[in-house]
Amino acid sequence: MTDPFDIDLELSDEEMHLYSRQILLDGWDIEAQEKLKLANVLIVGCGGIGCTSAELLARAGVGKITLIDADSIEISNLQRQIAFSHADIGFYKAEVLANRLRQINPHIHVESYNLKLDRSNAAELIKMQDLVLDGCDNFSTRYLVNLSCKQHQVALISASAIGFQGQLFMVEGDAPCYECLFPKQDSTSEQQDNDALRCADSGVLATTPNVMASLQAHHALLYLGLGLTPLKQKLLLWDGLSMKQRIIQFEKDDECPVC
């Protein structure tokens, strides 16, 4: 959590008004909103999923949001990455998104890193967080985020979207992790390279990553404000063609090198 001596624990009158529709909810009160204000969240990847998740958390009142992404904005991103416009092409995604979040909510603190999350910085970025949201399109990064979150006991909500389909799950505490669900050793190097290529270059409908990002952000608010973990040890599968959603439970892999 953020150092309580560095932030006003109580909501200001303006914040009370800004978040009034949440505070009016049955089951969500001022205490839940104050928990959001004190929360630190790292968002890995500022693409289709990260843009929407970050904006929703900023509007909801998450006190500190850290963004990391090494990529610059390209015209092909504009179809689904809602934070960006033609004027932003060529600029760093994390930087542009951070500026947008500050405009949306001046009551929150936003940091951005125009870097790839790797072994040199993962531990330092993750260990002080209350929650990590992973929406990147790179499998090696997903495995690294999972490993660092488990090592530092930081909750992780991971979302992915390809084509018309998406997946979402949570790793928290002693729950099974990403590598339990998708064992790295089951794939050859060539297969992993092909998977990474599909993730980066395959088609995706404009709405698919935004649906998954909304579900990811919703789960994040439930966790940060109310301590709920509905997708802990469960995998949500969303099919955008049939509009069907399934939730399946998965178990810890006894041979998982991370767990």
Side-chain angles (χ1 to χ4, degrees):
M1 290 291 190
T2 302
D3 187 339
F5 294 104
D6 292 338
I7 191 170
D8 187 352
L9 296 176
E10 295 185 357
L11 299 171
S12 67
D13 290 342
E14 186 173 333
E15 287 173 299
M16 289 286 288
H17 188 62
L18 177 60
Y19 309 128
S20 60
R21 294 303 183 271
Q22 289 178 181
I23 296 171
L24 285 171
L25 282 168
D26 289 338
W28 187 284
D29 54 17
I30 293 176
E31 182 180 355
Q33 194 63 49
E34 288 175 342
K35 287 179 180 178
L36 286 192
K37 183 175 181 176
L38 293 174
N40 294 334
V41 176
L42 171 67
I43 295 179
V44 181
C46 299
I49 292 174
C51 279
T52 298
S53 292
E55 179 167 330
L56 290 172
L57 295 191
R59 291 183 183 278
V62 171
K64 183 178 179 182
I65 299 174
T66 302
L67 310 168
I68 182 166
D69 194 311
D71 291 344
S72 299
I73 300 162
E74 302 176 0
I75 191 168
S76 62
N77 302 145
L78 305 186
Q79 166 250 11
R80 65 200 176 280
Q81 298 178 15
I82 63 172
F84 310 136
S85 69
H86 280 272
D88 300 317
I89 292 173
F91 292 94
Y92 284 114
K93 290 182 179 182
E95 198 170 305
V96 173
L97 180 56
N99 288 333
R100 177 170 172 79
L101 300 187
R102 295 183 189 108
Q103 292 171 351
I104 288 170
N105 191 343
H107 300 286
I108 66 172
H109 180 65
V110 185
E111 291 185 355
S112 64
Y113 295 90
N114 305 320
L115 303 168
K116 180 180 178 180
L117 189 137
D118 58 27
R119 293 187 180 277
S120 70
N121 57 33
E124 193 65 29
L125 282 167
I126 288 173
K127 66 182 180 182
M128 299 304 293
Q129 305 297 330
D130 299 305
L131 176 65
V132 174
L133 301 187
D134 182 10
C136 72
D137 63 355
N138 180 285
F139 283 96
S140 61
T141 303
R142 285 187 179 275
Y143 283 115
L144 177 59
V145 171
N146 174 73
L147 174 63
S148 296
C149 285
K150 287 293 283 188
Q151 287 178 337
H152 298 286
Q153 288 295 290
V154 175
L156 166 66
I157 302 176
S158 179
S160 61
I162 297 179
F164 299 95
Q165 299 178 329
Q167 299 180 351
L168 182 71
F169 66 94
M170 182 180 199
V171 179
E172 193 267 342
D174 61 354
C177 73
Y178 182 77
E179 198 156 342
C180 290
L181 188 58
F182 303 110
K184 193 190 300 186
Q185 67 268 24
D186 284 359
S187 300
T188 65
S189 176
E190 182 179 356
Q191 287 171 328
Q192 289 180 42
D193 289 343
N194 289 337
D195 284 345
L197 181 63
R198 285 199 301 271
C199 214
D201 297 335
S202 65
V204 60
L205 194 66
T207 46
T208 305
N210 287 289
V211 169
M212 299 315 301
S214 295
L215 291 171
Q216 184 187 47
H218 179 77
H219 196 309
L221 296 181
L222 294 181
Y223 176 69
L224 295 170
L226 302 176
L228 299 179
T229 58
L231 288 182
K232 181 177 179 178
Q233 204 162 330
K234 295 175 183 176
L235 175 66
L236 182 151
L237 301 170
W238 185 80
D239 186 333
L241 285 176
S242 65
M243 295 298 287
K244 290 181 180 179
Q245 179 175 296
R246 288 193 301 144
I247 297 178
I248 58 177
Q249 189 157 345
F250 64 96
E251 303 298 328
K252 184 176 290 188
D253 183 351
D254 293 335
E255 298 182 2
C256 174
V258 175
C259 292

mmCIF file with all atom_site columns, all heavy atoms in Angstrom, residues 163-168 205 207-209 211-212 215 236-246:
data_model
loop_
_atom_site.group_PDB
_atom_site.id
_atom_site.type_symbol
_atom_site.label_atom_id
_atom_site.label_alt_id
_atom_site.label_comp_id
_atom_site.label_asym_id
_atom_site.label_entity_id
_atom_site.label_seq_id
_atom_site.pdbx_PDB_ins_code
_atom_site.Cartn_x
_atom_site.Cartn_y
_atom_site.Cartn_z
_atom_site.occupancy
_atom_site.B_iso_or_equiv
_atom_site.pdbx_formal_charge
_atom_site.auth_seq_id
_atom_site.auth_comp_id
_atom_site.auth_asym_id
_atom_site.auth_atom_id
_atom_site.pdbx_PDB_model_num
ATOM 1   N N   . GLY A 1 163 ? -8.392  -12.622 -31.669 1.00 0.00 ? 163 GLY A N   1
ATOM 2   C CA  . GLY A 1 163 ? -9.532  -12.873 -32.544 1.00 0.00 ? 163 GLY A CA  1
ATOM 3   C C   . GLY A 1 163 ? -10.840 -12.451 -31.900 1.00 0.00 ? 163 GLY A C   1
ATOM 4   O O   . GLY A 1 163 ? -11.067 -11.288 -31.588 1.00 0.00 ? 163 GLY A O   1
ATOM 5   N N   . PHE A 1 164 ? -11.718 -13.437 -31.681 1.00 0.00 ? 164 PHE A N   1
ATOM 6   C CA  . PHE A 1 164 ? -13.017 -13.203 -31.056 1.00 0.00 ? 164 PHE A CA  1
ATOM 7   C C   . PHE A 1 164 ? -13.072 -13.769 -29.631 1.00 0.00 ? 164 PHE A C   1
ATOM 8   O O   . PHE A 1 164 ? -14.148 -13.833 -29.046 1.00 0.00 ? 164 PHE A O   1
ATOM 9   C CB  . PHE A 1 164 ? -14.127 -13.885 -31.875 1.00 0.00 ? 164 PHE A CB  1
ATOM 10  C CG  . PHE A 1 164 ? -14.245 -13.384 -33.290 1.00 0.00 ? 164 PHE A CG  1
ATOM 11  C CD1 . PHE A 1 164 ? -13.602 -14.053 -34.320 1.00 0.00 ? 164 PHE A CD1 1
ATOM 12  C CD2 . PHE A 1 164 ? -15.005 -12.264 -33.586 1.00 0.00 ? 164 PHE A CD2 1
ATOM 13  C CE1 . PHE A 1 164 ? -13.718 -13.613 -35.633 1.00 0.00 ? 164 PHE A CE1 1
ATOM 14  C CE2 . PHE A 1 164 ? -15.122 -11.817 -34.897 1.00 0.00 ? 164 PHE A CE2 1
ATOM 15  C CZ  . PHE A 1 164 ? -14.472 -12.483 -35.918 1.00 0.00 ? 164 PHE A CZ  1
ATOM 16  N N   . GLN A 1 165 ? -11.931 -14.187 -29.092 1.00 0.00 ? 165 GLN A N   1
ATOM 17  C CA  . GLN A 1 165 ? -11.933 -14.920 -27.830 1.00 0.00 ? 165 GLN A CA  1
ATOM 18  C C   . GLN A 1 165 ? -10.998 -14.303 -26.805 1.00 0.00 ? 165 GLN A C   1
ATOM 19  O O   . GLN A 1 165 ? -10.000 -13.667 -27.159 1.00 0.00 ? 165 GLN A O   1
ATOM 20  C CB  . GLN A 1 165 ? -11.529 -16.379 -28.072 1.00 0.00 ? 165 GLN A CB  1
ATOM 21  C CG  . GLN A 1 165 ? -12.480 -17.110 -29.006 1.00 0.00 ? 165 GLN A CG  1
ATOM 22  C CD  . GLN A 1 165 ? -12.043 -18.533 -29.272 1.00 0.00 ? 165 GLN A CD  1
ATOM 23  O OE1 . GLN A 1 165 ? -10.843 -18.839 -29.280 1.00 0.00 ? 165 GLN A OE1 1
ATOM 24  N NE2 . GLN A 1 165 ? -13.001 -19.424 -29.485 1.00 0.00 ? 165 GLN A NE2 1
ATOM 25  N N   . GLY A 1 166 ? -11.332 -14.514 -25.535 1.00 0.00 ? 166 GLY A N   1
ATOM 26  C CA  . GLY A 1 166 ? -10.496 -13.999 -24.457 1.00 0.00 ? 166 GLY A CA  1
ATOM 27  C C   . GLY A 1 166 ? -10.452 -14.924 -23.265 1.00 0.00 ? 166 GLY A C   1
ATOM 28  O O   . GLY A 1 166 ? -11.315 -15.802 -23.108 1.00 0.00 ? 166 GLY A O   1
ATOM 29  N N   . GLN A 1 167 ? -9.424  -14.730 -22.434 1.00 0.00 ? 167 GLN A N   1
ATOM 30  C CA  . GLN A 1 167 ? -9.248  -15.514 -21.211 1.00 0.00 ? 167 GLN A CA  1
ATOM 31  C C   . GLN A 1 167 ? -8.905  -14.579 -20.061 1.00 0.00 ? 167 GLN A C   1
ATOM 32  O O   . GLN A 1 167 ? -8.293  -13.530 -20.265 1.00 0.00 ? 167 GLN A O   1
ATOM 33  C CB  . GLN A 1 167 ? -8.127  -16.546 -21.370 1.00 0.00 ? 167 GLN A CB  1
ATOM 34  C CG  . GLN A 1 167 ? -8.350  -17.570 -22.450 1.00 0.00 ? 167 GLN A CG  1
ATOM 35  C CD  . GLN A 1 167 ? -7.198  -18.561 -22.565 1.00 0.00 ? 167 GLN A CD  1
ATOM 36  O OE1 . GLN A 1 167 ? -6.142  -18.385 -21.946 1.00 0.00 ? 167 GLN A OE1 1
ATOM 37  N NE2 . GLN A 1 167 ? -7.390  -19.608 -23.354 1.00 0.00 ? 167 GLN A NE2 1
ATOM 38  N N   . LEU A 1 168 ? -9.289  -14.994 -18.854 1.00 0.00 ? 168 LEU A N   1
ATOM 39  C CA  . LEU A 1 168 ? -9.013  -14.197 -17.660 1.00 0.00 ? 168 LEU A CA  1
ATOM 40  C C   . LEU A 1 168 ? -8.890  -15.122 -16.462 1.00 0.00 ? 168 LEU A C   1
ATOM 41  O O   . LEU A 1 168 ? -9.682  -16.059 -16.311 1.00 0.00 ? 168 LEU A O   1
ATOM 42  C CB  . LEU A 1 168 ? -10.164 -13.203 -17.431 1.00 0.00 ? 168 LEU A CB  1
ATOM 43  C CG  . LEU A 1 168 ? -10.040 -12.234 -16.253 1.00 0.00 ? 168 LEU A CG  1
ATOM 44  C CD1 . LEU A 1 168 ? -8.970  -11.191 -16.528 1.00 0.00 ? 168 LEU A CD1 1
ATOM 45  C CD2 . LEU A 1 168 ? -11.380 -11.546 -15.999 1.00 0.00 ? 168 LEU A CD2 1
ATOM 46  N N   . LEU A 1 205 ? -10.756 -8.570  -33.218 1.00 0.00 ? 205 LEU A N   1
ATOM 47  C CA  . LEU A 1 205 ? -11.865 -7.635  -33.354 1.00 0.00 ? 205 LEU A CA  1
ATOM 48  C C   . LEU A 1 205 ? -11.692 -6.495  -32.354 1.00 0.00 ? 205 LEU A C   1
ATOM 49  O O   . LEU A 1 205 ? -11.216 -6.714  -31.234 1.00 0.00 ? 205 LEU A O   1
ATOM 50  C CB  . LEU A 1 205 ? -13.189 -8.362  -33.105 1.00 0.00 ? 205 LEU A CB  1
ATOM 51  C CG  . LEU A 1 205 ? -14.464 -7.620  -33.521 1.00 0.00 ? 205 LEU A CG  1
ATOM 52  C CD1 . LEU A 1 205 ? -14.515 -7.455  -35.035 1.00 0.00 ? 205 LEU A CD1 1
ATOM 53  C CD2 . LEU A 1 205 ? -15.701 -8.355  -33.010 1.00 0.00 ? 205 LEU A CD2 1
ATOM 54  N N   . THR A 1 207 ? -13.531 -5.003  -30.363 1.00 0.00 ? 207 THR A N   1
ATOM 55  C CA  . THR A 1 207 ? -14.200 -5.112  -29.063 1.00 0.00 ? 207 THR A CA  1
ATOM 56  C C   . THR A 1 207 ? -13.597 -6.168  -28.145 1.00 0.00 ? 207 THR A C   1
ATOM 57  O O   . THR A 1 207 ? -13.737 -6.065  -26.917 1.00 0.00 ? 207 THR A O   1
ATOM 58  C CB  . THR A 1 207 ? -15.681 -5.440  -29.277 1.00 0.00 ? 207 THR A CB  1
ATOM 59  O OG1 . THR A 1 207 ? -15.788 -6.494  -30.258 1.00 0.00 ? 207 THR A OG1 1
ATOM 60  C CG2 . THR A 1 207 ? -16.442 -4.223  -29.766 1.00 0.00 ? 207 THR A CG2 1
ATOM 61  N N   . THR A 1 208 ? -12.945 -7.188  -28.700 1.00 0.00 ? 208 THR A N   1
ATOM 62  C CA  . THR A 1 208 ? -12.502 -8.319  -27.874 1.00 0.00 ? 208 THR A CA  1
ATOM 63  C C   . THR A 1 208 ? -11.572 -7.909  -26.736 1.00 0.00 ? 208 THR A C   1
ATOM 64  O O   . THR A 1 208 ? -11.828 -8.244  -25.573 1.00 0.00 ? 208 THR A O   1
ATOM 65  C CB  . THR A 1 208 ? -11.835 -9.402  -28.747 1.00 0.00 ? 208 THR A CB  1
ATOM 66  O OG1 . THR A 1 208 ? -12.725 -9.788  -29.783 1.00 0.00 ? 208 THR A OG1 1
ATOM 67  C CG2 . THR A 1 208 ? -11.476 -10.620 -27.918 1.00 0.00 ? 208 THR A CG2 1
ATOM 68  N N   . PRO A 1 209 ? -10.467 -7.186  -26.993 1.00 0.00 ? 209 PRO A N   1
ATOM 69  C CA  . PRO A 1 209 ? -9.607  -6.808  -25.867 1.00 0.00 ? 209 PRO A CA  1
ATOM 70  C C   . PRO A 1 209 ? -10.295 -5.861  -24.887 1.00 0.00 ? 209 PRO A C   1
ATOM 71  O O   . PRO A 1 209 ? -9.996  -5.883  -23.688 1.00 0.00 ? 209 PRO A O   1
ATOM 72  C CB  . PRO A 1 209 ? -8.411  -6.124  -26.545 1.00 0.00 ? 209 PRO A CB  1
ATOM 73  C CG  . PRO A 1 209 ? -8.884  -5.751  -27.895 1.00 0.00 ? 209 PRO A CG  1
ATOM 74  C CD  . PRO A 1 209 ? -9.898  -6.763  -28.283 1.00 0.00 ? 209 PRO A CD  1
ATOM 75  N N   . VAL A 1 211 ? -13.542 -5.913  -24.064 1.00 0.00 ? 211 VAL A N   1
ATOM 76  C CA  . VAL A 1 211 ? -14.391 -6.734  -23.203 1.00 0.00 ? 211 VAL A CA  1
ATOM 77  C C   . VAL A 1 211 ? -13.554 -7.370  -22.100 1.00 0.00 ? 211 VAL A C   1
ATOM 78  O O   . VAL A 1 211 ? -13.902 -7.324  -20.915 1.00 0.00 ? 211 VAL A O   1
ATOM 79  C CB  . VAL A 1 211 ? -15.113 -7.826  -24.018 1.00 0.00 ? 211 VAL A CB  1
ATOM 80  C CG1 . VAL A 1 211 ? -15.772 -8.848  -23.097 1.00 0.00 ? 211 VAL A CG1 1
ATOM 81  C CG2 . VAL A 1 211 ? -16.160 -7.198  -24.931 1.00 0.00 ? 211 VAL A CG2 1
ATOM 82  N N   . MET A 1 212 ? -12.416 -7.966  -22.482 1.00 0.00 ? 212 MET A N   1
ATOM 83  C CA  . MET A 1 212 ? -11.581 -8.642  -21.491 1.00 0.00 ? 212 MET A CA  1
ATOM 84  C C   . MET A 1 212 ? -10.973 -7.650  -20.505 1.00 0.00 ? 212 MET A C   1
ATOM 85  O O   . MET A 1 212 ? -10.827 -7.942  -19.313 1.00 0.00 ? 212 MET A O   1
ATOM 86  C CB  . MET A 1 212 ? -10.477 -9.445  -22.196 1.00 0.00 ? 212 MET A CB  1
ATOM 87  C CG  . MET A 1 212 ? -10.993 -10.533 -23.139 1.00 0.00 ? 212 MET A CG  1
ATOM 88  S SD  . MET A 1 212 ? -12.336 -11.542 -22.442 1.00 0.00 ? 212 MET A SD  1
ATOM 89  C CE  . MET A 1 212 ? -11.531 -12.227 -20.984 1.00 0.00 ? 212 MET A CE  1
ATOM 90  N N   . LEU A 1 215 ? -13.598 -6.764  -17.914 1.00 0.00 ? 215 LEU A N   1
ATOM 91  C CA  . LEU A 1 215 ? -13.712 -7.828  -16.922 1.00 0.00 ? 215 LEU A CA  1
ATOM 92  C C   . LEU A 1 215 ? -12.514 -7.831  -15.975 1.00 0.00 ? 215 LEU A C   1
ATOM 93  O O   . LEU A 1 215 ? -12.654 -8.044  -14.761 1.00 0.00 ? 215 LEU A O   1
ATOM 94  C CB  . LEU A 1 215 ? -13.832 -9.178  -17.626 1.00 0.00 ? 215 LEU A CB  1
ATOM 95  C CG  . LEU A 1 215 ? -15.134 -9.425  -18.394 1.00 0.00 ? 215 LEU A CG  1
ATOM 96  C CD1 . LEU A 1 215 ? -15.028 -10.703 -19.224 1.00 0.00 ? 215 LEU A CD1 1
ATOM 97  C CD2 . LEU A 1 215 ? -16.315 -9.514  -17.442 1.00 0.00 ? 215 LEU A CD2 1
ATOM 98  N N   . LEU A 1 236 ? -11.600 -18.030 -16.754 1.00 0.00 ? 236 LEU A N   1
ATOM 99  C CA  . LEU A 1 236 ? -12.783 -17.557 -17.475 1.00 0.00 ? 236 LEU A CA  1
ATOM 100 C C   . LEU A 1 236 ? -12.475 -17.558 -18.962 1.00 0.00 ? 236 LEU A C   1
ATOM 101 O O   . LEU A 1 236 ? -11.468 -16.995 -19.400 1.00 0.00 ? 236 LEU A O   1
ATOM 102 C CB  . LEU A 1 236 ? -13.165 -16.154 -17.000 1.00 0.00 ? 236 LEU A CB  1
ATOM 103 C CG  . LEU A 1 236 ? -14.412 -15.503 -17.606 1.00 0.00 ? 236 LEU A CG  1
ATOM 104 C CD1 . LEU A 1 236 ? -15.041 -14.539 -16.600 1.00 0.00 ? 236 LEU A CD1 1
ATOM 105 C CD2 . LEU A 1 236 ? -14.101 -14.753 -18.906 1.00 0.00 ? 236 LEU A CD2 1
ATOM 106 N N   . LEU A 1 237 ? -13.338 -18.182 -19.737 1.00 0.00 ? 237 LEU A N   1
ATOM 107 C CA  . LEU A 1 237 ? -13.202 -18.246 -21.193 1.00 0.00 ? 237 LEU A CA  1
ATOM 108 C C   . LEU A 1 237 ? -14.385 -17.515 -21.817 1.00 0.00 ? 237 LEU A C   1
ATOM 109 O O   . LEU A 1 237 ? -15.545 -17.858 -21.549 1.00 0.00 ? 237 LEU A O   1
ATOM 110 C CB  . LEU A 1 237 ? -13.187 -19.705 -21.664 1.00 0.00 ? 237 LEU A CB  1
ATOM 111 C CG  . LEU A 1 237 ? -12.079 -20.586 -21.077 1.00 0.00 ? 237 LEU A CG  1
ATOM 112 C CD1 . LEU A 1 237 ? -12.320 -22.045 -21.432 1.00 0.00 ? 237 LEU A CD1 1
ATOM 113 C CD2 . LEU A 1 237 ? -10.717 -20.136 -21.569 1.00 0.00 ? 237 LEU A CD2 1
ATOM 114 N N   . TRP A 1 238 ? -14.095 -16.520 -22.655 1.00 0.00 ? 238 TRP A N   1
ATOM 115 C CA  . TRP A 1 238 ? -15.152 -15.725 -23.297 1.00 0.00 ? 238 TRP A CA  1
ATOM 116 C C   . TRP A 1 238 ? -15.087 -15.907 -24.800 1.00 0.00 ? 238 TRP A C   1
ATOM 117 O O   . TRP A 1 238 ? -14.017 -15.758 -25.405 1.00 0.00 ? 238 TRP A O   1
ATOM 118 C CB  . TRP A 1 238 ? -14.984 -14.256 -22.935 1.00 0.00 ? 238 TRP A CB  1
ATOM 119 C CG  . TRP A 1 238 ? -16.098 -13.382 -23.458 1.00 0.00 ? 238 TRP A CG  1
ATOM 120 C CD1 . TRP A 1 238 ? -17.339 -13.227 -22.911 1.00 0.00 ? 238 TRP A CD1 1
ATOM 121 C CD2 . TRP A 1 238 ? -16.053 -12.538 -24.614 1.00 0.00 ? 238 TRP A CD2 1
ATOM 122 N NE1 . TRP A 1 238 ? -18.072 -12.343 -23.657 1.00 0.00 ? 238 TRP A NE1 1
ATOM 123 C CE2 . TRP A 1 238 ? -17.320 -11.907 -24.714 1.00 0.00 ? 238 TRP A CE2 1
ATOM 124 C CE3 . TRP A 1 238 ? -15.082 -12.260 -25.580 1.00 0.00 ? 238 TRP A CE3 1
ATOM 125 C CZ2 . TRP A 1 238 ? -17.630 -11.014 -25.728 1.00 0.00 ? 238 TRP A CZ2 1
ATOM 126 C CZ3 . TRP A 1 238 ? -15.382 -11.369 -26.603 1.00 0.00 ? 238 TRP A CZ3 1
ATOM 127 C CH2 . TRP A 1 238 ? -16.641 -10.758 -26.669 1.00 0.00 ? 238 TRP A CH2 1
ATOM 128 N N   . ASP A 1 239 ? -16.216 -16.245 -25.414 1.00 0.00 ? 239 ASP A N   1
ATOM 129 C CA  . ASP A 1 239 ? -16.309 -16.449 -26.855 1.00 0.00 ? 239 ASP A CA  1
ATOM 130 C C   . ASP A 1 239 ? -17.171 -15.338 -27.448 1.00 0.00 ? 239 ASP A C   1
ATOM 131 O O   . ASP A 1 239 ? -18.385 -15.287 -27.217 1.00 0.00 ? 239 ASP A O   1
ATOM 132 C CB  . ASP A 1 239 ? -16.926 -17.815 -27.154 1.00 0.00 ? 239 ASP A CB  1
ATOM 133 C CG  . ASP A 1 239 ? -16.910 -18.156 -28.641 1.00 0.00 ? 239 ASP A CG  1
ATOM 134 O OD1 . ASP A 1 239 ? -16.913 -17.219 -29.469 1.00 0.00 ? 239 ASP A OD1 1
ATOM 135 O OD2 . ASP A 1 239 ? -16.899 -19.348 -28.981 1.00 0.00 ? 239 ASP A OD2 1
ATOM 136 N N   . GLY A 1 240 ? -16.538 -14.469 -28.206 1.00 0.00 ? 240 GLY A N   1
ATOM 137 C CA  . GLY A 1 240 ? -17.227 -13.321 -28.747 1.00 0.00 ? 240 GLY A CA  1
ATOM 138 C C   . GLY A 1 240 ? -18.130 -13.616 -29.928 1.00 0.00 ? 240 GLY A C   1
ATOM 139 O O   . GLY A 1 240 ? -18.942 -12.768 -30.319 1.00 0.00 ? 240 GLY A O   1
ATOM 140 N N   . LEU A 1 241 ? -18.022 -14.804 -30.538 1.00 0.00 ? 241 LEU A N   1
ATOM 141 C CA  . LEU A 1 241 ? -18.907 -15.170 -31.639 1.00 0.00 ? 241 LEU A CA  1
ATOM 142 C C   . LEU A 1 241 ? -20.241 -15.706 -31.133 1.00 0.00 ? 241 LEU A C   1
ATOM 143 O O   . LEU A 1 241 ? -21.307 -15.357 -31.647 1.00 0.00 ? 241 LEU A O   1
ATOM 144 C CB  . LEU A 1 241 ? -18.238 -16.199 -32.552 1.00 0.00 ? 241 LEU A CB  1
ATOM 145 C CG  . LEU A 1 241 ? -17.154 -15.662 -33.484 1.00 0.00 ? 241 LEU A CG  1
ATOM 146 C CD1 . LEU A 1 241 ? -16.514 -16.810 -34.262 1.00 0.00 ? 241 LEU A CD1 1
ATOM 147 C CD2 . LEU A 1 241 ? -17.716 -14.625 -34.453 1.00 0.00 ? 241 LEU A CD2 1
ATOM 148 N N   . SER A 1 242 ? -20.180 -16.540 -30.116 1.00 0.00 ? 242 SER A N   1
ATOM 149 C CA  . SER A 1 242 ? -21.405 -17.130 -29.561 1.00 0.00 ? 242 SER A CA  1
ATOM 150 C C   . SER A 1 242 ? -21.947 -16.325 -28.380 1.00 0.00 ? 242 SER A C   1
ATOM 151 O O   . SER A 1 242 ? -23.063 -16.572 -27.930 1.00 0.00 ? 242 SER A O   1
ATOM 152 C CB  . SER A 1 242 ? -21.134 -18.569 -29.107 1.00 0.00 ? 242 SER A CB  1
ATOM 153 O OG  . SER A 1 242 ? -20.217 -18.578 -28.024 1.00 0.00 ? 242 SER A OG  1
ATOM 154 N N   . MET A 1 243 ? -21.142 -15.382 -27.886 1.00 0.00 ? 243 MET A N   1
ATOM 155 C CA  . MET A 1 243 ? -21.472 -14.608 -26.679 1.00 0.00 ? 243 MET A CA  1
ATOM 156 C C   . MET A 1 243 ? -21.632 -15.519 -25.451 1.00 0.00 ? 243 MET A C   1
ATOM 157 O O   . MET A 1 243 ? -22.379 -15.225 -24.527 1.00 0.00 ? 243 MET A O   1
ATOM 158 C CB  . MET A 1 243 ? -22.730 -13.769 -26.884 1.00 0.00 ? 243 MET A CB  1
ATOM 159 C CG  . MET A 1 243 ? -22.577 -12.681 -27.936 1.00 0.00 ? 243 MET A CG  1
ATOM 160 S SD  . MET A 1 243 ? -21.308 -11.454 -27.505 1.00 0.00 ? 243 MET A SD  1
ATOM 161 C CE  . MET A 1 243 ? -22.141 -10.558 -26.207 1.00 0.00 ? 243 MET A CE  1
ATOM 162 N N   . LYS A 1 244 ? -20.892 -16.618 -25.456 1.00 0.00 ? 244 LYS A N   1
ATOM 163 C CA  . LYS A 1 244 ? -20.931 -17.528 -24.322 1.00 0.00 ? 244 LYS A CA  1
ATOM 164 C C   . LYS A 1 244 ? -19.699 -17.338 -23.448 1.00 0.00 ? 244 LYS A C   1
ATOM 165 O O   . LYS A 1 244 ? -18.617 -17.002 -23.933 1.00 0.00 ? 244 LYS A O   1
ATOM 166 C CB  . LYS A 1 244 ? -20.993 -18.985 -24.804 1.00 0.00 ? 244 LYS A CB  1
ATOM 167 C CG  . LYS A 1 244 ? -22.319 -19.355 -25.452 1.00 0.00 ? 244 LYS A CG  1
ATOM 168 C CD  . LYS A 1 244 ? -22.327 -20.810 -25.871 1.00 0.00 ? 244 LYS A CD  1
ATOM 169 C CE  . LYS A 1 244 ? -23.662 -21.188 -26.512 1.00 0.00 ? 244 LYS A CE  1
ATOM 170 N NZ  . LYS A 1 244 ? -23.671 -22.613 -26.955 1.00 0.00 ? 244 LYS A NZ  1
ATOM 171 N N   . GLN A 1 245 ? -19.880 -17.591 -22.171 1.00 0.00 ? 245 GLN A N   1
ATOM 172 C CA  . GLN A 1 245 ? -18.783 -17.483 -21.204 1.00 0.00 ? 245 GLN A CA  1
ATOM 173 C C   . GLN A 1 245 ? -18.780 -18.728 -20.328 1.00 0.00 ? 245 GLN A C   1
ATOM 174 O O   . GLN A 1 245 ? -19.835 -19.187 -19.888 1.00 0.00 ? 245 GLN A O   1
ATOM 175 C CB  . GLN A 1 245 ? -18.990 -16.227 -20.351 1.00 0.00 ? 245 GLN A CB  1
ATOM 176 C CG  . GLN A 1 245 ? -17.940 -16.016 -19.286 1.00 0.00 ? 245 GLN A CG  1
ATOM 177 C CD  . GLN A 1 245 ? -18.148 -14.685 -18.567 1.00 0.00 ? 245 GLN A CD  1
ATOM 178 O OE1 . GLN A 1 245 ? -18.045 -13.621 -19.152 1.00 0.00 ? 245 GLN A OE1 1
ATOM 179 N NE2 . GLN A 1 245 ? -18.463 -14.752 -17.283 1.00 0.00 ? 245 GLN A NE2 1
ATOM 180 N N   . ARG A 1 246 ? -17.586 -19.278 -20.130 1.00 0.00 ? 246 ARG A N   1
ATOM 181 C CA  . ARG A 1 246 ? -17.435 -20.449 -19.259 1.00 0.00 ? 246 ARG A CA  1
ATOM 182 C C   . ARG A 1 246 ? -16.393 -20.141 -18.197 1.00 0.00 ? 246 ARG A C   1
ATOM 183 O O   . ARG A 1 246 ? -15.433 -19.415 -18.446 1.00 0.00 ? 246 ARG A O   1
ATOM 184 C CB  . ARG A 1 246 ? -16.971 -21.673 -20.047 1.00 0.00 ? 246 ARG A CB  1
ATOM 185 C CG  . ARG A 1 246 ? -17.998 -22.288 -20.961 1.00 0.00 ? 246 ARG A CG  1
ATOM 186 C CD  . ARG A 1 246 ? -17.527 -23.644 -21.438 1.00 0.00 ? 246 ARG A CD  1
ATOM 187 N NE  . ARG A 1 246 ? -16.255 -23.573 -22.153 1.00 0.00 ? 246 ARG A NE  1
ATOM 188 C CZ  . ARG A 1 246 ? -15.296 -24.499 -22.102 1.00 0.00 ? 246 ARG A CZ  1
ATOM 189 N NH1 . ARG A 1 246 ? -15.433 -25.552 -21.317 1.00 0.00 ? 246 ARG A NH1 1
ATOM 190 N NH2 . ARG A 1 246 ? -14.194 -24.356 -22.806 1.00 0.00 ? 246 ARG A NH2 1
#
